[in-house]
Amino acid sequence: MQMDASLLSKYNVPVPRYTSYPTVPFWQDNIERQQWQDVFSQQFAVHNPREGISLYLHLPFCESLCTYCGCNKKITTNHGVEKEYMAAIAREWASYLSLMNEAPVIRELHLGGGTPTFFSPDNLERLLENIFSSAKIHPDHAFSFEGHPNNTTREHLQRLYELGFRRVSYGVQDNDPEVQRIINRLQPLENVRRATSDAREIGYHSVNFDLIYGLPLQNEERLRNTILQCIGLQPDRIAFYSYAHVPGTSRGQRLFDENDLPDTETKMRLYRLGKSLFTEKGYQDVGMDHFALPGDELNMAKQEGRLHRNFMGYTTQATQLLVGLGVSAISDAGVAFAQNEKTIHAYYAALQQEQLPVMRGFFLNEEDVAFRKYILDISCRGAAVFQEEHLPLLRTYSFPELEKLADDGLLQWDEKGLEVTALGWHFIRNICRAFDLHLLRTQQEAGAPRFSKAI
Ligand code: SF4
C-alpha cells in the first residue's frame, strides 16, 4: 500500500484526536456543578455494574521541565507535596462515592501525569488502597500507569503489580543526546532498558513506549536510531506522536529556537520513516498513531472489533462511565463531560469548600450522542451504519466530505454506511472529522477552535 507524500500533505490539516466528541474546545466554561452531579448520579444508577467503570488519576508533579511538554504539570523537587495531593484525591473520590447508589466496580484504571512515579511507592499504594477499600475490582480489570524511565524503580513496579497493574507506558520520546539536551529530558537508554526489563521480570504483560517526531534537532538519522534502539527492546505497543508546537499555551516551548524545529517537509519524512520502520519490524497500525505487536491485546481487540476509545486513548475495556480524579482530569458520564480545575490552587480551593472541582464541560444532546457514536465506530472499527433519521444532517454536513475522502481511496460509502479502507486507516482523524458537526458548522467562522495538524 502506497502512502504517497501528496496525500499526506493534503490531509495534514488541523484536526482533533477525538478522545471525546464534542471535542474540548467546544465545551462550556463554568458548567453547572449541580447539573453535572445529577447527571452523573443518574447515569451511575442505570449503568451495568458487570461492565464496571473506568478511573483516571492525574498525578501532576514532575521534578524537571521537559520543554516540549504540553501536559498539565507542576514542576517541583519538594516531595512534601505528595501527602496534600493524596488527601485531595481522597476527598474528591469520597464526593463521587456519595453520588453512587452502590459500591463501584473498577474495571479500568490509569495513572497519568505529570509523572505518577514522582510519588513514592508507599504513597501510591496508600492512595490506591484508599480507593480500592470503597470499591470492587472487576475480575477482568486493566490497570496501567505512565512511568518515567528515570525514576520508575523496581519497587514502584513491584508494588503496582501487587495492586493489579499489568501495563506500563514509558515516555521515551527520543534517545539522541542532542535532542534530549534541547528538550531538557536527559534520559540514558540504559534507564529505558532497565525499566523495561524490570517490568517484564515482574510480570507486566504489556510495555508501551511513547515516541515523538518533529522535536527540535531531530533528523531522519537520529529518529531512525531511536526507533531501532526502541524496537530492539520489543515494546508491545508504541505510540508515535506528532510534536505540537504551541508556544502560546506551552510556555516551555518558547525556549526553543524555532530554526531548530524540523520544517513541514522534514516532519512528514520523519512520520513516514517511523511508520515504515514499525511496519517493517512487525508492528501493526492500530490507528491514531498507535502501533502494536500482533499478540498485543490492543491489536487483538481491533481485529475482533472490541476496541474502544476514551480520554485515555484506545482501550480494550468499553465502559460507559469514567471518573477522572485530580487537577485538570476529565470525567465522562456517557451523556456529559466535566473537566476539573486546571490549577492545583483552584482544585484544592474547591475541595476545601466541599465542592466537586469541576470547571468546564458539556452536556450532550441527542444529535451529539448519535454523532459521537459514528466517530467512535469509525475510529475503533473503521465502519459505521447510518441511521435513517440522521440522513438530512449527514447529507448536509458529512456526505460532501465523504465524497472527497472516497475519491482519494480512503473509504467506501453509500447512504447506508461506510467502511474505511486500509489506506484510510492512516487518515482516520480526517475521516472522523466528517462527522464532527460542531467543527464543520464553525469551520468557516473566524475564531473556530484550532487543533494540532494531523502530522
Ligand atoms: S513530559 Fe512528562 S515528565 Fe516531562 S514535564 Fe511533561 S509531564 Fe513532566
Side-chain angles (χ1 to χ4, degrees):
M1 186 216 41
Q2 284 294 317
M3 198 181 31
D4 66 51
S6 62
L7 214 49
L8 269 180
S9 165
K10 178 175 174 183
Y11 286 104
N12 186 24
V13 295
V15 60
R17 306 187 71 82
Y18 293 109
T19 49
S20 74
Y21 178 77
T23 54
V24 175
F26 290 99
W27 295 5
Q28 294 129 11
D29 287 335
N30 304 317
I31 58 157
E32 183 49 57
R33 189 174 283 120
Q34 190 58 49
Q35 190 184 354
W36 163 252
Q37 293 180 184
D38 292 346
V39 169
F40 182 86
S41 189
Q42 284 155 12
Q43 293 300 112
F44 186 86
V46 298
H47 92 293
N48 179 356
R50 275 187 297 182
E51 187 182 270
I53 68 163
S54 297
L55 200 55
Y56 170 77
L57 267 63
H58 191 79
L59 304 175
F61 305 111
C62 303
E63 287 202 342
S64 65
L65 174 70
C66 312
T67 43
Y68 64 86
C69 177
C71 302
N72 184 300
K73 73 273 174 190
K74 177 91 183 154
I75 309 300
T76 179
T77 51
N78 170 19
H79 284 259
V81 295
E82 293 177 34
K83 288 255 159 67
E84 189 180 7
Y85 196 77
M86 286 160 57
I89 293 247
R91 199 177 283 189
E92 191 187 0
W93 175 240
S95 300
Y96 271 104
L97 285 175
S98 72
L99 302 175
M100 301 176 186
N101 60 344
E102 59 181 327
V105 180
I106 301 175
R107 182 162 193 182
E108 187 184 29
L109 167 62
H110 184 70
L111 311 182
T115 307
T117 45
F118 174 99
F119 284 70
S120 69
D122 276 350
N123 281 342
L124 283 178
E125 191 171 66
R126 268 185 218 120
L127 177 72
L128 292 165
E129 278 182 342
N130 171 60
I131 291 173
F132 293 170
S133 67
S134 49
K136 295 176 190 156
I137 306 296
H138 196 285
D140 180 25
H141 61 269
F143 293 177
S144 57
F145 72 98
E146 286 162 27
H148 194 311
N150 284 355
N151 65 11
T152 303
T153 62
R154 202 172 167 99
E155 187 70 14
H156 279 111
L157 287 158
Q158 185 66 46
R159 295 280 190 92
L160 290 170
Y161 182 84
E162 283 158 15
L163 288 162
F165 286 71
R166 294 292 180 270
R167 191 160 75 76
V168 55
S169 179
Y170 291 124
V172 178
Q173 324 309 3
D174 191 296
N175 291 334
D176 185 86
E178 282 303 296
V179 176
Q180 290 192 353
R181 185 186 52 74
I182 200 166
I183 62 174
N184 195 37
R185 191 179 172 110
L186 299 177
Q187 180 178 272
L189 179 61
E190 187 44 39
N191 290 359
V192 181
R193 188 178 287 124
R194 175 197 47 76
T196 303
S197 65
D198 279 352
R200 293 238 162 84
E201 280 169 27
I202 288 169
Y204 283 77
H205 55 62
S206 184
V207 176
N208 173 84
F209 287 177
D210 284 348
L211 300 179
I212 303 181
Y213 64 93
L215 288 169
L217 299 184
Q218 248 180 359
N219 57 33
E220 282 166 277
E221 193 191 335
R222 286 173 167 162
L223 184 68
R224 178 188 298 276
N225 286 340
T226 289
I227 291 177
L228 292 179
Q229 285 164 344
C230 287
I231 290 176
L233 300 176
Q234 284 287 283
D236 305 86
R237 299 178 193 176
I238 296 172
F240 189 49
Y241 293 119
S242 167
Y243 165 67
H245 190 59
V246 280
T249 48
S250 296
R251 283 192 293 171
Q253 297 180 352
R254 293 180 200 162
L255 299 170
F256 293 156
D257 181 338
E258 300 209 357
N259 294 323
D260 289 333
L261 289 169
D263 59 24
T264 310
E265 286 301 307
T266 312
K267 199 172 172 189
M268 283 217 257
R269 282 204 304 275
L270 296 175
Y271 173 72
R272 281 158 64 95
L273 172 70
K275 281 193 115 152
S276 62
L277 281 175
F278 299 136
T279 321
E280 223 172 82
K281 302 289 178 185
Y283 286 82
Q284 291 181 359
D285 192 342
V286 179
M288 303 265 189
D289 313 325
H290 285 69
F291 298 83
L293 287 174
D296 186 82
E297 218 192 324
L298 204 61
N299 228 335
M300 295 198 283
K302 184 181 174 189
Q303 309 301 333
E304 293 160 15
R306 292 187 288 111
L307 214 52
H308 186 63
R309 191 163 172 80
N310 61 23
F311 291 105
M312 298 180 264
Y314 278 121
T315 84
T316 54
Q317 315 291 322
T319 60
Q320 301 301 315
L321 291 174
L322 164 69
V323 178
L325 303 177
V327 61
S328 78
I330 292 174
S331 297
D332 177 355
V335 292
F337 301 116
Q339 181 169 29
N340 281 348
E341 294 285 358
K342 288 188 176 174
T343 67
I344 291 188
H345 179 74
Y347 172 71
Y348 285 167
L351 287 165
Q352 267 155 18
Q353 290 165 28
E354 311 216 327
Q355 292 175 338
L356 269 187
V358 295
M359 46 79 79
R360 307 186 72 206
F362 197 93
F363 296 96
L364 285 78
N365 61 25
E366 277 181 24
E367 176 195 296
D368 295 323
V369 171
F371 279 71
R372 178 193 199 188
K373 182 164 184 331
Y374 289 139
I375 287 174
L376 260 180
D377 285 346
I378 292 164
S379 58
C380 297
R381 285 194 289 286
V385 176
F386 303 140
Q387 302 301 311
E388 208 168 321
E389 68 262 33
H390 303 139
L391 283 176
L393 276 172
L394 289 164
R395 285 188 188 121
T396 307
Y397 294 104
S398 308
F399 291 170
E401 301 293 323
L402 296 188
E403 260 170 44
K404 293 183 237 164
L405 295 160
D407 284 348
D408 285 326
L410 307 190
L411 52 87
Q412 287 158 347
W413 73 283
D414 59 23
E415 293 219 342
K416 290 197 170 64
L418 74 76
E419 202 165 329
V420 175
T421 61
L423 179 64
W425 271 105
H426 298 284
F427 302 94
I428 204 81
R429 290 165 71 177
N430 306 76
I431 298 174
C432 291
R433 181 185 160 278
F435 297 84
D436 185 342
L437 300 190
H438 289 269
L439 184 60
L440 293 170
R441 282 178 177 134
T442 58
Q443 66 182 352
Q444 302 302 334
E445 295 170 18
R450 301 287 297 163
F451 299 92
S452 58
K453 284 188 175 178
I455 293 162

